[in-house]
Tab-separated table of all heavy atoms in Angstrom:
chain	number	residue	atom	x	y	z
A	17	THR	N	-94.769	-33.578	19.176
A	17	THR	CA	-95.109	-33.966	20.572
A	17	THR	C	-94.118	-33.359	21.504
A	17	THR	O	-94.469	-32.826	22.546
A	17	THR	CB	-95.099	-35.485	20.682
A	17	THR	OG1	-96.091	-36.051	19.867
A	17	THR	CG2	-95.384	-35.890	22.142
A	20	LYS	N	-94.681	-29.648	22.066
A	20	LYS	CA	-95.821	-29.370	22.977
A	20	LYS	C	-95.414	-29.569	24.437
A	20	LYS	O	-95.783	-28.781	25.294
A	20	LYS	CB	-96.984	-30.273	22.623
A	20	LYS	CG	-97.710	-29.845	21.342
A	20	LYS	CD	-98.937	-30.684	21.112
A	20	LYS	CE	-99.692	-30.227	19.837
A	20	LYS	NZ	-100.921	-30.983	19.596
A	21	ILE	N	-94.658	-30.684	24.678
A	21	ILE	CA	-94.214	-30.964	26.054
A	21	ILE	C	-93.274	-29.811	26.536
A	21	ILE	O	-93.350	-29.386	27.698
A	21	ILE	CB	-93.497	-32.352	26.132
A	21	ILE	CG1	-94.539	-33.414	25.899
A	21	ILE	CG2	-92.852	-32.459	27.474
A	21	ILE	CD1	-93.965	-34.843	25.876
A	24	LEU	N	-95.441	-26.802	27.386
A	24	LEU	CA	-96.186	-27.042	28.615
A	24	LEU	C	-95.215	-27.008	29.801
A	24	LEU	O	-95.541	-26.421	30.859
A	24	LEU	CB	-96.852	-28.422	28.583
A	24	LEU	CG	-98.058	-28.547	27.611
A	24	LEU	CD1	-98.485	-29.989	27.469
A	24	LEU	CD2	-99.208	-27.699	28.145
A	344	LEU	N	-106.417	-26.358	30.207
A	344	LEU	CA	-105.548	-27.418	29.723
A	344	LEU	C	-106.330	-28.668	29.315
A	344	LEU	O	-106.002	-29.309	28.314
A	344	LEU	CB	-104.522	-27.842	30.834
A	344	LEU	CG	-103.456	-26.791	31.156
A	344	LEU	CD1	-102.640	-27.282	32.351
A	344	LEU	CD2	-102.572	-26.536	29.964
A	345	ILE	N	-107.364	-28.994	30.099
A	345	ILE	CA	-108.112	-30.244	29.828
A	345	ILE	C	-108.844	-30.100	28.484
A	345	ILE	O	-108.983	-31.056	27.732
A	345	ILE	CB	-109.135	-30.482	30.951
A	345	ILE	CG1	-108.391	-30.761	32.253
A	345	ILE	CG2	-110.073	-31.636	30.626
A	345	ILE	CD1	-107.515	-31.963	32.200
A	347	ALA	N	-108.032	-28.173	26.049
A	347	ALA	CA	-107.099	-27.877	24.917
A	347	ALA	C	-106.786	-29.166	24.130
A	347	ALA	O	-106.897	-30.270	24.685
A	347	ALA	CB	-105.821	-27.235	25.501
A	348	PRO	N	-106.414	-29.045	22.875
A	348	PRO	CA	-106.103	-30.252	22.054
A	348	PRO	C	-104.704	-30.822	22.431
A	348	PRO	O	-103.824	-30.944	21.650
A	348	PRO	CB	-106.054	-29.685	20.668
A	348	PRO	CG	-105.649	-28.278	20.804
A	348	PRO	CD	-106.337	-27.805	22.090
A	349	VAL	N	-104.586	-31.130	23.740
A	349	VAL	CA	-103.339	-31.726	24.231
A	349	VAL	C	-103.667	-32.978	25.066
A	349	VAL	O	-104.582	-32.866	25.911
A	349	VAL	CB	-102.559	-30.710	25.110
A	349	VAL	CG1	-101.276	-31.342	25.622
A	349	VAL	CG2	-102.260	-29.429	24.325
A	350	ARG	N	-103.017	-34.026	24.801
A	350	ARG	CA	-103.272	-35.256	25.522
A	350	ARG	C	-102.864	-35.057	27.010
A	350	ARG	O	-101.901	-34.391	27.294
A	350	ARG	CB	-102.496	-36.447	24.948
A	350	ARG	CG	-103.004	-36.839	23.548
A	350	ARG	CD	-102.326	-38.073	23.125
A	350	ARG	NE	-102.886	-38.489	21.813
A	350	ARG	CZ	-103.887	-39.316	21.600
A	350	ARG	NH1	-104.564	-39.695	22.698
A	350	ARG	NH2	-104.328	-39.619	20.437
A	351	ARG	N	-103.643	-35.684	27.879
A	351	ARG	CA	-103.388	-35.459	29.325
A	351	ARG	C	-102.005	-36.040	29.764
A	351	ARG	O	-101.441	-35.515	30.719
A	351	ARG	CB	-104.497	-36.129	30.142
A	351	ARG	CG	-105.808	-35.417	30.000
A	351	ARG	CD	-106.847	-35.989	30.917
A	351	ARG	NE	-108.143	-35.355	30.737
A	351	ARG	CZ	-109.234	-35.706	31.386
A	351	ARG	NH1	-109.211	-36.721	32.299
A	351	ARG	NH2	-110.333	-35.109	31.161
A	352	TRP	N	-101.506	-37.082	29.133
A	352	TRP	CA	-100.246	-37.619	29.536
A	352	TRP	C	-99.151	-36.583	29.280
A	352	TRP	O	-98.107	-36.566	29.995
A	352	TRP	CB	-99.929	-38.940	28.843
A	352	TRP	CG	-99.652	-38.857	27.339
A	352	TRP	CD1	-100.555	-38.998	26.349
A	352	TRP	CD2	-98.384	-38.614	26.761
A	352	TRP	NE1	-99.953	-38.863	25.127
A	352	TRP	CE2	-98.614	-38.642	25.347
A	352	TRP	CE3	-97.095	-38.376	27.189
A	352	TRP	CZ2	-97.594	-38.426	24.405
A	352	TRP	CZ3	-96.089	-38.180	26.293
A	352	TRP	CH2	-96.303	-38.206	24.888
A	353	LYS	N	-99.307	-35.738	28.255
A	353	LYS	CA	-98.308	-34.668	28.031
A	353	LYS	C	-98.374	-33.649	29.160
A	353	LYS	O	-97.302	-33.126	29.558
A	353	LYS	CB	-98.556	-34.026	26.651
A	353	LYS	CG	-98.377	-35.006	25.487
A	353	LYS	CD	-98.637	-34.273	24.162
A	353	LYS	CE	-98.481	-35.255	22.998
A	353	LYS	NZ	-98.786	-34.573	21.700
A	354	ILE	N	-99.580	-33.344	29.565
A	354	ILE	CA	-99.710	-32.380	30.716
A	354	ILE	C	-99.048	-32.991	31.958
A	354	ILE	O	-98.348	-32.276	32.685
A	354	ILE	CB	-101.156	-32.051	30.957
A	354	ILE	CG1	-101.852	-31.481	29.682
A	354	ILE	CG2	-101.332	-31.176	32.151
A	354	ILE	CD1	-103.314	-31.266	29.859
A	355	PHE	N	-99.322	-34.264	32.141
A	355	PHE	CA	-98.768	-34.965	33.323
A	355	PHE	C	-97.231	-34.936	33.266
A	355	PHE	O	-96.534	-34.631	34.275
A	355	PHE	CB	-99.258	-36.438	33.361
A	355	PHE	CG	-98.768	-37.215	34.519
A	355	PHE	CD1	-99.399	-37.135	35.758
A	355	PHE	CD2	-97.641	-37.986	34.423
A	355	PHE	CE1	-98.947	-37.893	36.827
A	355	PHE	CE2	-97.142	-38.722	35.466
A	355	PHE	CZ	-97.811	-38.699	36.708
A	356	ILE	N	-96.667	-35.271	32.136
A	356	ILE	CA	-95.198	-35.314	31.965
A	356	ILE	C	-94.603	-33.913	32.200
A	356	ILE	O	-93.575	-33.804	32.869
A	356	ILE	CB	-94.817	-35.832	30.585
A	356	ILE	CG1	-95.163	-37.339	30.437
A	356	ILE	CG2	-93.343	-35.645	30.351
A	356	ILE	CD1	-94.431	-38.249	31.391
A	357	SER	N	-95.220	-32.929	31.692
A	357	SER	CA	-94.716	-31.528	31.817
A	357	SER	C	-94.754	-31.117	33.267
A	357	SER	O	-93.777	-30.478	33.769
A	357	SER	CB	-95.508	-30.586	30.958
A	357	SER	OG	-96.856	-30.478	31.423
A	531	PHE	N	-104.713	-38.844	37.333
A	531	PHE	CA	-104.762	-37.601	36.583
A	531	PHE	C	-105.462	-37.806	35.200
A	531	PHE	O	-106.100	-36.880	34.710
A	531	PHE	CB	-103.340	-37.058	36.314
A	531	PHE	CG	-103.322	-35.785	35.643
A	531	PHE	CD1	-103.625	-34.560	36.264
A	531	PHE	CD2	-103.015	-35.708	34.266
A	531	PHE	CE1	-103.601	-33.360	35.608
A	531	PHE	CE2	-102.933	-34.494	33.604
A	531	PHE	CZ	-103.253	-33.336	34.241
A	532	THR	N	-105.283	-38.956	34.665
A	532	THR	CA	-105.838	-39.179	33.272
A	532	THR	C	-107.255	-39.805	33.331
A	532	THR	O	-107.764	-40.192	32.274
A	532	THR	CB	-104.941	-40.123	32.487
A	532	THR	OG1	-104.749	-41.352	33.242
A	532	THR	CG2	-103.595	-39.469	32.256
A	534	LYS	N	-111.204	-40.002	33.189
A	534	LYS	CA	-112.101	-39.261	32.312
A	534	LYS	C	-113.003	-38.243	33.110
A	534	LYS	O	-113.459	-37.320	32.534
A	534	LYS	CB	-113.037	-40.175	31.533
A	534	LYS	CG	-112.273	-41.190	30.632
A	534	LYS	CD	-111.481	-40.455	29.546
A	534	LYS	CE	-110.868	-41.483	28.589
A	534	LYS	NZ	-110.125	-40.767	27.483
Side-chain angles (χ1 to χ4, degrees):
T17 299
K20 286 186 177 181
I21 293 177
L24 289 169
L344 290 175
I345 297 298
V349 180
R350 292 186 178 273
R351 290 186 185 178
W352 69 266
K353 295 180 182 179
I354 301 174
F355 180 86
I356 292 297
S357 66
F531 183 77
T532 55
K534 299 298 183 180

